[in-house]
Structure formats: C-alpha cells, structure tokens
Amino acid sequence: SHELKQPPSVSVSPGQTATITCSAAALAKQYAYWYQQKPGQAPVLVMSKDSERPSGVPERFSGSGSGASVTLTISGAQAEDEAVYYCQSAHAGSGTVIFGGGTQLTVL
Amino acid sequence: QVQLQESGPGLVKPSGTLSLTCAVSGDSVSENRWWSWVRQPPGKEPEWIGEVSHTGSTNYEPSLKSRVTISLDKSSNSFSMKMMSVTAADTAVYYCARGPVPFDRWGQGTLVIVST
C-alpha cells in the first residue's frame, strides 16, 4: 500500500488561486482523483485521472500531475469552494483504494 | 438520475455484526461496474472498505478483509456489507458508492455507532 500526503490546510482570499498537492511514489504510475467534501455531505468528484474535469464541475477547477505528485488548482476561488479536498488513488494490481488525509481549504 | 441509498441499524453493540444495504436506482448493479463501501470516522479521511463487481467478484481493504463480506443482490438491485466483531473503532459514517475508481456517485451516508 502507499500513503497519499496532503497539506492539512490551505487558505486563500476570494478570487485568488488555491493549489492543493498530493504526493506519493505510486502516483508516478497511478492516476489520482480529487473529491470535495462539505460538512455533512458525501464527497463529490471534482477531478479524474489527474486532470480530467467531470461534467458539471466549474472550469476554475483544474488538475495536473508530475512524477510523484499531483495538484488540484482552483483559479479564482470562491466562498462556495470552501471544503475539505481529498485525493484518491488505487493499486491496479491489488484493487486497493486509498485516500489522502485531506486538505481544508479556507476562502476568506 | 442515479441514486444510492444506504440503510441499516444506526447502533450496533460491540462484538456484534454491522449490516448495511445500498439500494441503487437509475442504474443496474448488473451492469459492468464495481460497487463500493467507504467509511469515514468522525473528523477523519474516508477509508475504502471493499467492492463487489456485477459478477459478484470482490476486493477488500486488506486490514478489514477478515471481518467484511460484500455481496450483490440483482433481484433487488442492491448490494450489501456485513462487518463482524465490531468495536468502537468501527464507529463512522458509512457510504456506498459507484465505481470502479473514481466514485462518481455516492449515497448520502449513514452514521453507525458501535456502543452498548
């Protein structure tokens, strides 16, 4: 198995760019996925396969990957983007799924 | 519109068995997909429990494998999870989700408390 490491918190002012990183050696070979979770709600997929934005996710969300790390970028963060963001990956061979520790994004 | 809905007891006694069912609507569990259970202890990150395929094949998180069974019920378009020998550490919100990774649809979650 592997650990997905995320910063515990990120803070930005409204309209600024927020970047959240996720790192693990396995990410050099496996895709990463990003979920947004607001209090009392289930996680929502906001980025797939490192950089594919699912239908319905605002264009200000983008993703990138480089070697053992991936980045979720929110360009022009809005108050509604305040949430905990989790990265996720999976082992192709074993089928094991793992989540990062989560990053609390504060927009204020 | 695809919807998933968890159901089951909200309180389970220590050493007992936790049983949950996920009812699927707007999709068929017989289609070529995998269906997962994920739990999230209060204030912590989600933890994948395991998954079942449309054929009934399963994969489990290794640390939980000895206590968990996930199964498919095509007649009711649902899938279920049983977790044996629960302790307080199993207290969490339990979600069902549609996969394989990524999980593009989730249930609303159900809180299960392990306590006497």
Side-chain angles (χ1 to χ4, degrees):
Chain A
S1 64
H2 59 275
E3 287 188 355
L4 300 177
K5 292 184 167 63
Q6 301 181 236
S9 63
V10 168
S11 294
V12 296
S13 299
Q16 287 190 330
T17 296
T19 57
I20 302 173
T21 59
C22 177
S23 60
L27 292 180
K29 297 182 179 180
Q30 293 291 327
Y31 284 122
Y33 307 86
W34 290 95
Y35 297 85
Q36 176 194 69
Q37 186 177 34
K38 296 181 178 179
Q41 298 182 18
V44 173
L45 180 69
V46 294
M47 198 61 58
S48 182
K49 291 184 177 180
D50 294 353
S51 60
E52 294 182 3
R53 190 175 58 249
S55 174
V57 174
E59 291 186 5
R60 61 181 180 273
F61 287 82
S62 63
S64 63
S66 178
S69 69
V70 292
T71 300
L72 177 70
T73 301
I74 307 172
S75 303
Q78 301 181 8
E80 66 200 55
D81 300 328
E82 193 163 284
V84 180
Y85 290 83
Y86 294 100
C87 61
Q88 178 198 51
S89 188
H91 272 299
S94 67
T96 300
V97 177
I98 192 165
F99 290 87
T103 298
Q104 172 68 57
L105 174 66
T106 301
V107 182
L108 51 69
Chain B
Q1 185 179 356
V2 179
Q3 292 186 321
L4 286 74
Q5 179 68 58
E6 305 89 350
S7 62
L11 181 64
V12 181
K13 288 183 167 47
S15 77
T17 297
L18 185 164
S19 297
L20 295 173
T21 296
C22 181
V24 179
S25 58
D27 195 357
S28 170
V29 297
S30 299
E31 294 296 315
N32 188 14
R33 288 189 179 280
W34 289 79
W35 303 91
S36 276
W37 287 97
V38 178
R39 69 180 182 179
Q40 187 170 28
K44 297 188 69 177
E45 68 270 21
E47 177 185 27
W48 180 71
I49 298 171
E51 63 186 356
V52 60
S53 78
H54 64 292
T55 64
S57 298
T58 53
N59 292 309
Y60 297 107
E61 161 59 39
S63 65
L64 299 172
K65 185 175 184 177
S66 65
R67 298 196 290 130
V68 174
T69 302
I70 298 175
S71 59
L72 203 64
D73 186 346
K74 295 182 179 181
S75 65
S76 62
N77 205 38
S78 67
F79 60 105
S80 299
M81 179 196 65
K82 293 185 187 300
M83 180 179 291
M84 303 183 302
S85 305
V86 297
T87 69
D90 296 311
T91 292
V93 175
Y94 285 75
Y95 296 98
C96 56
R98 185 176 76 168
V101 168
F103 302 144
D104 63 350
R105 294 290 187 273
W106 296 64
Q108 66 186 25
T110 186
L111 175 62
V112 178
I113 297 172
V114 179
S115 175
T116 57

